Amino acid sequence: MPSLVDMLLNPSFWFSVLRVTTPIIFAAIAALITDKAGIMNISMEGTMLFSALAGTIVSALTQSAWIGLLGAMAAGVLLSLTLAYFTLELKTDVILGGVAINLFADGGSIFILYLLTGDKGTSVSLASKVLPSVTIPLIDKIPVLGAIISGHNALTYIAAATVFAVYFMLKSTPLGLKIRAVGENSSAAQSVGVSAKKIQYLSLALSGLIASLGGAYMSMAYLPNFSRNMTSGRGWIALAAEAMGQGGVLATSAASLVFGFADAMANALQMFSLPAELVGIIPYVATVIGLILYSVRIKNAKKRRGASKKPL
Amino acid sequence: MKNIKKTSFLLALILFAASAFSGCAKAPEPQAGTQPSYKAVLLVPGTLGDKSFFDAANAGMQKAKSELGIETKVIEMGTDKTKYEPTFRDVCAQDWDLIISGSADMTDMFNEFSLEYPDQSFLNYDATTDAVNSNIYSVGYAANELSYLAGAVAALATTSSVSGMNPEARIGFIGGMDIPGINDFLVGYIKGAQDVNPEVKVVISYAQDFTNPGKGKELALNQYSFGADVIFSAAGGTGMGVLDAALEKGLYAIGVDSDQALLFKSSDEKKASQIITSAIKQIDMVIFNGIKAGMDGTLPVGSYKLVSFKDQGVGIARNEYYDKIMPAELKAKVDEIEKNLIDGKVAVPSIVGMPQEELDAMRDAVK
């Protein structure tokens, strides 16, 4: 019987870490972009779920996985723009708006699925398409590393590319600077001619776009069809990962990997002599620690803000 | 200020729409023209579309509607358990000939409400206790016997010449949660496998979730790479991921509650060919026969019945994929084991009354 060490030395374990992390990383980066623009967007779970359904439907209708992916992206952006409209135009509390999006996606996705297929559970009756897996030439020949890095679904590589693109965008482009400026102090940004509303609209749309890729991964890569509530809390774990990352793109990605590792670990450890209940709490303990770090961070931020403000 | 009012109204509207969607229940219209004389209602403690447990109950209702010409209604109560009791009470106050539901949550409610509404008749199609009041007919399934046969199939197949199988006698089990309802499947599965091959090992995982196919897939991939070639999953929607993992690895799965290979027959033939068989509770037949007996006035209210192989209340799917995957001599062995179950020659352990230590010992014995 293989031991724990064997498991950790097995490339397929590390491969599964990346596979489990992919949807979390998309959602965490999506949350980070709006956070940078000063909006606490908690609608990742709903956006992912809805995009997952949209991707399945569009790919089944067009018989093309890539057009399906575009459909998922459109759905994600649309949902985020809805949230943006409520938050920025109608001044709804963004948390309530996020809750509404999540509730809507939960029930609404089942409703739409039922209208189209007559089925309330899964989309197995739709002949939807799956995005291809990619074998990276040369790298797949490297022992161990090749087995871990090569052979993932295209979206896993897109996730890695997204991390670096967003890192670069926030750090070194005028748009990134504007987003950060609006997030830090929107009045100051506006005083130099940056439209805070426009930037926040844009960041929410980007956030929806990236979260939708996570959704598409669930129904068009990880699994070949949509099933109800299939995101199963990954959008919430992503929020915790973003919190643990404390606003840094690379740190958030690293935190997502920690959660992915915890989850993969929990899956694999069950086969050893550990009780399921104990192993099952690993991802949740990791989440709670993440959320504690987050609230500490908020508290410190409040203190800082409070200190810089002159008493009235 | 005006904006805020407008916003909160819109938000309220969205919330309302969302909750309306999630709780939405479509009631089949009674057939026009003829006036059905018998009315039966099914209360689903969850939502349809699980491809197994609830859908099977709904199938029984639809069969009764089309073949017996009665008026039926299916109410999906959703996942919010606080809604079950008021819904149940509403239904009890209405004019139904038979009120049907099942599961652990509902069994308690049955026993409580049947006293309050002594004039109603109730059918509990999946009871978790044999205690019944005088106006309830309760049915339980010998899930342990059913999975005993599933375990035998898995243990026979894993060391056979079926393509893709490794020589190791290792099989897998994925449960939705570590709870008695699921472990009743597990203990039967282990015993069934052991009786075929005393050396058999069983890898056991629990998903802690009935609607997380992603998790189901990860657990299954782990089990397959651990050397298990056949996995039996009793995990609701989570099990869909197990079936997908079977396809990805070219290895095998055993479905649960309804014939899961048939679900994929038209849309994904390849996946269907990895599902050796399914462990089926004949929920639809129990409901259909219950309604029929109710119409004839012969429903044995006030009694509990445990249906097993003897009553054809449980069984494994013997479809074209089973025929194709399983070699003839193994099929003959499975038939023989089933015959022994029917004749009551096998003592299958049950989770009912089993102390935790004994369950742990069973699990440890096959590690």
Side-chain angles (χ1 to χ4, degrees):
Chain A
M1 177 157 157
S3 72
L4 188 63
V5 179
D6 290 336
M7 183 193 89
L8 289 173
L9 289 177
N10 190 341
S12 78
F13 170 75
W14 296 100
F15 187 91
S16 82
V17 170
L18 295 182
R19 187 173 57 211
V20 170
T21 304
T22 303
I24 300 174
I25 225 166
F26 273 126
I29 296 292
L32 180 132
I33 286 188
T34 55
D35 193 18
K36 282 285 172 198
I39 296 176
M40 181 73 206
N41 180 4
I42 61 157
S43 69
M44 268 64 237
E45 181 81 1
T47 310
M48 278 167 64
L49 193 60
F50 215 75
S51 314
L53 176 66
T56 303
I57 293 170
V58 175
S59 77
L61 290 178
T62 60
Q63 287 300 302
S64 157
W66 294 104
I67 298 177
L69 182 63
L70 286 180
M73 288 156 85
V77 171
L78 196 71
L79 214 55
S80 283
L81 285 181
T82 313
L83 179 64
Y85 179 73
F86 277 110
T87 312
L88 303 174
E89 303 291 344
L90 307 177
K91 308 291 179 209
T92 317
D93 184 291
V94 68
I95 299 292
L96 282 182
V99 169
I101 297 270
N102 288 331
L103 284 175
F104 168 75
D106 183 16
S109 59
I110 297 170
F111 182 67
I112 294 172
L113 181 70
Y114 179 67
L115 284 184
L116 286 174
T117 64
D119 190 318
K120 290 177 185 167
T122 75
S123 69
V124 288
S125 59
L126 292 175
S128 57
K129 295 286 169 188
V130 177
L131 292 160
S133 293
V134 181
T135 306
I136 312 173
L138 293 180
I139 288 187
D140 71 313
K141 298 283 187 297
I142 305 172
V144 186
L145 194 69
I148 296 172
I149 291 182
S150 179
H152 283 280
N153 190 274
L155 275 173
T156 301
Y157 301 111
I158 293 176
T162 305
V163 169
F164 292 108
V166 170
Y167 176 73
F168 176 76
M169 190 268 286
L170 285 174
K171 196 165 180 243
S172 339
T173 65
L175 175 64
L177 185 68
K178 282 178 191 165
I179 289 179
R180 283 186 290 140
V182 168
E184 290 284 329
N185 189 331
S186 75
S187 319
Q190 268 169 319
S191 73
V192 294
V194 176
S195 164
K197 197 194 253 183
K198 215 166 109 188
I199 293 296
Q200 289 183 329
Y201 256 114
L202 197 64
S203 67
L204 270 166
L206 267 177
S207 160
L209 187 76
I210 296 173
S212 74
L213 296 174
Y217 179 79
M218 291 306 297
S219 69
M220 302 174 67
Y222 206 2
L223 296 152
N225 24 52
F226 176 83
S227 61
R228 56 179 301 148
N229 195 21
M230 72 187 306
T231 45
S232 290
R234 289 174 177 84
W236 298 107
I237 290 183
L239 286 183
E242 196 261 342
M244 262 171 98
Q246 310 231 345
V249 176
L250 300 181
T252 296
S253 310
S256 304
L257 272 169
V258 168
F259 282 113
F261 175 77
D263 201 13
M265 195 73 175
N267 291 335
L269 276 182
Q270 277 211 29
M271 293 186 300
F272 300 95
S273 305
L274 295 165
E277 296 85 353
L278 190 68
V279 169
I281 63 170
I282 293 176
Y284 302 103
V285 169
T287 310
V288 168
I289 293 173
L291 288 173
I292 290 174
L293 286 176
Y294 183 66
S295 66
V296 166
R297 179 184 147 213
I298 293 269
K299 212 171 150 194
N300 288 342
K302 268 194 190 143
K303 250 187 221 159
R304 269 206 310 275
R305 227 173 279 155
S308 67
K309 262 185 203 153
K310 293 242 155 62
L312 291 168
Chain B
M1 194 63 215
K2 202 179 156 205
N3 256 345
I4 294 178
K5 262 190 190 160
K6 201 164 135 197
T7 315
S8 33
F9 173 71
L10 276 170
L11 197 64
L13 206 69
I14 289 193
L15 279 169
F16 173 75
S19 58
F21 284 155
S22 56
C24 109
K26 190 166 184 293
E29 295 298 318
Q31 285 161 337
T34 56
Q35 195 65 29
S37 54
Y38 195 81
K39 290 163 66 182
V41 60
L42 171 69
L43 295 165
V44 179
T47 46
L48 297 179
D50 64 344
K51 298 279 172 231
S52 53
F53 189 69
F54 298 137
D55 283 357
N58 187 42
M61 291 302 278
Q62 299 314 320
K63 190 172 149 78
K65 187 186 171 190
S66 61
E67 289 181 22
L68 304 174
I70 63 159
E71 181 184 338
T72 62
K73 181 171 173 134
V74 179
I75 300 175
E76 293 169 72
M77 297 191 289
T79 46
D80 180 359
K81 290 186 181 177
T82 59
K83 286 184 186 151
Y84 295 0
E85 193 169 323
T87 311
F88 205 108
R89 194 174 284 280
D90 282 351
V91 166
C92 284
Q94 293 162 2
D95 169 35
W96 295 100
D97 293 304
L98 189 61
I99 298 171
I100 305 166
S101 193
S103 83
D105 289 322
M106 300 310 294
T107 299
D108 296 339
M109 240 173 267
F110 264 113
N111 285 334
E112 189 187 328
F113 283 93
S114 57
L115 292 176
E116 255 179 79
Y117 297 90
D119 298 333
Q120 294 280 17
S121 293
F122 300 90
L123 167 61
N124 186 350
Y125 68 80
D126 191 14
T128 45
T129 162
D130 53 6
V132 287
N133 295 329
S134 61
N135 50 346
I136 312 177
Y137 174 49
S138 278
V139 178
Y141 303 83
N144 57 336
E145 285 189 23
L146 171 59
S147 47
Y148 179 93
L149 195 57
V153 170
L156 285 171
T158 190
T159 49
S160 73
S161 57
V162 172
S163 93
M165 301 286 183
N166 62 29
E168 210 179 344
R170 193 187 294 269
I171 58 175
F173 177 86
I174 293 179
M177 276 186 189
D178 193 354
I179 51 174
I182 295 299
N183 285 332
D184 205 22
F185 281 102
L186 176 67
V187 293
Y189 184 69
I190 292 177
K191 187 76 166 69
Q194 281 176 327
D195 282 358
V196 167
N197 181 349
E199 299 298 308
V200 77
K201 300 285 172 217
V202 184
V203 198
I204 302 160
S205 308
Y206 295 93
Q208 315 282 9
D209 200 332
F210 285 94
T211 59
N212 194 345
K215 181 99 177 170
K217 184 170 180 178
E218 286 298 330
L219 292 173
L221 288 174
N222 271 311
Q223 294 198 349
Y224 285 134
S225 66
F226 210 66
D229 331 278
V230 185
I231 298 175
F232 177 42
S233 77
T238 298
M240 301 303 274
V242 178
L243 305 182
D244 196 53
L247 172 65
E248 195 170 306
K249 289 281 173 189
L251 290 169
Y252 299 92
I254 296 178
V256 76
D257 287 348
S258 58
D259 188 346
Q260 297 193 297
L262 295 186
L263 294 174
F264 296 102
K265 197 177 169 183
S266 56
S267 63
D268 198 345
E269 174 96 42
K270 273 194 201 144
K271 195 181 284 180
S273 1
Q274 305 302 128
I275 305 170
I276 300 184
T277 182
S278 295
I280 307 172
K281 291 179 179 177
Q282 303 286 7
I283 294 170
D284 49 343
M285 286 316 294
V286 164
I287 290 183
F288 179 79
N289 292 337
I291 292 175
K292 215 170 154 193
M295 289 175 80
D296 304 339
T298 56
L299 188 73
V301 285
S303 67
Y304 168 84
K305 186 169 169 63
L306 181 74
V307 294
S308 59
F309 279 97
K310 214 179 294 172
D311 323 278
Q312 298 180 318
V314 295
I316 60 165
R318 287 189 172 84
N319 51 33
E320 61 199 89
Y321 306 106
Y322 173 80
D323 282 339
K324 209 157 47 184
I325 298 167
M326 291 290 276
E329 77 268 19
L330 296 191
K331 276 191 281 196
K333 271 190 192 153
V334 173
D335 293 345
E336 188 189 319
I337 296 167
E338 185 176 18
K339 194 165 175 303
N340 289 341
L341 283 167
I342 293 171
D343 297 343
K345 283 187 197 153
V346 200
V348 183
S350 163
I351 197 73
V352 180
M354 182 186 278
Q356 183 67 36
E357 298 79 46
E358 203 179 323
L359 174 63
D360 290 342
M362 269 193 94
R363 287 196 280 221
D364 286 339
V366 290
K367 274 234 160 79

